[in-house]
Amino acid sequence: MHPEALEGARAMIDAAGVDARADLLGLDLGGADINGTARSLLPMVRWVGLDAQAGPGVDIVADARTWTPDREYDVVLCTELLEHVQGWERCIGTAWRALREGGHLVVTCASTGRRPHGARGEFHPGPGEWYANVPPDALEDLLREAFAASHVRYRANPGDAYAWARK
């Protein structure tokens, strides 16, 4: 996780009002620890990591677009995932289904102007790997439609979108 994304996640956690000291249950969509994770920002949360591939921090190997939650979560992290998923909107749907009423979603993703990169930290996307920047207005529209409250912030340098939403 690059430093700007971690900073963006911290800002969205603060803006959403997630209590970093609370005993919460959290889901990390795209949860493999690739050069760091935003989980460190919420150290009291009991985390479940979901990713399409096994790796550090992954408890469930599944597609974040189609996975069916078996319980409700207080907080869902979706950091540095959406730009690597064709049909990223379905990941937001999974997050919505996973959250309890009043629960929070925190998103960071590559957006307008960001250079394509690999899902596991490579400088370029690998063969057959999907990559497309997520337009901040598309993210904002989807969150506004699906959630009770939301906010999206775009940062031109490095070309990221950061968001929070409350179910």
Side-chain angles (χ1 to χ4, degrees):
M1 165 168 255
H2 64 88
E4 296 88 355
L6 187 61
E7 177 187 320
R10 180 186 337 259
M12 294 300 103
I13 288 167
D14 291 346
V18 179
D19 185 353
R21 297 170 310 236
D23 179 26
L24 303 172
L25 182 59
L27 174 65
D28 188 356
L29 289 179
D33 183 345
I34 308 296
N35 66 11
T37 173
R39 292 182 192 186
S40 62
L41 301 173
L42 296 168
M44 298 301 292
V45 172
R46 291 168 283 126
W47 289 106
V48 174
L50 182 142
D51 202 288
Q53 297 177 28
V58 178
D59 303 295
I60 300 168
V61 176
D63 187 327
R65 297 170 294 185
T66 58
W67 180 70
T68 301
D70 61 351
R71 63 184 117 180
E72 292 185 326
Y73 296 86
D74 301 296
V75 63
V76 173
L77 282 180
C78 185
T79 57
E80 306 305 287
L81 167 70
L82 300 181
E83 65 269 25
H84 301 288
V85 178
Q86 186 174 17
W88 61 267
E89 299 89 345
R90 293 170 55 203
C91 296
I92 300 296
T94 297
W96 188 91
R97 288 188 305 279
L99 280 169
R100 67 164 176 78
E101 287 296 320
H104 290 94
L105 168 64
V106 175
V107 175
T108 70
C109 60
S111 190
T112 305
R114 187 71 185 264
R115 181 190 57 72
H117 55 275
R120 299 286 189 208
E122 305 88 358
F123 195 70
H124 298 289
E129 187 176 314
W130 173 262
Y131 184 91
N133 287 331
V134 176
D137 56 338
L139 179 60
E140 185 172 34
D141 290 347
L142 181 59
L143 294 178
R144 186 180 309 123
E145 180 180 311
F147 289 86
S150 63
H151 174 74
V152 176
R153 183 177 72 126
Y154 172 68
R155 183 172 175 180
N157 184 9
D160 282 350
Y162 311 123
W164 66 265
R166 185 180 71 248
K167 183 171 178 183

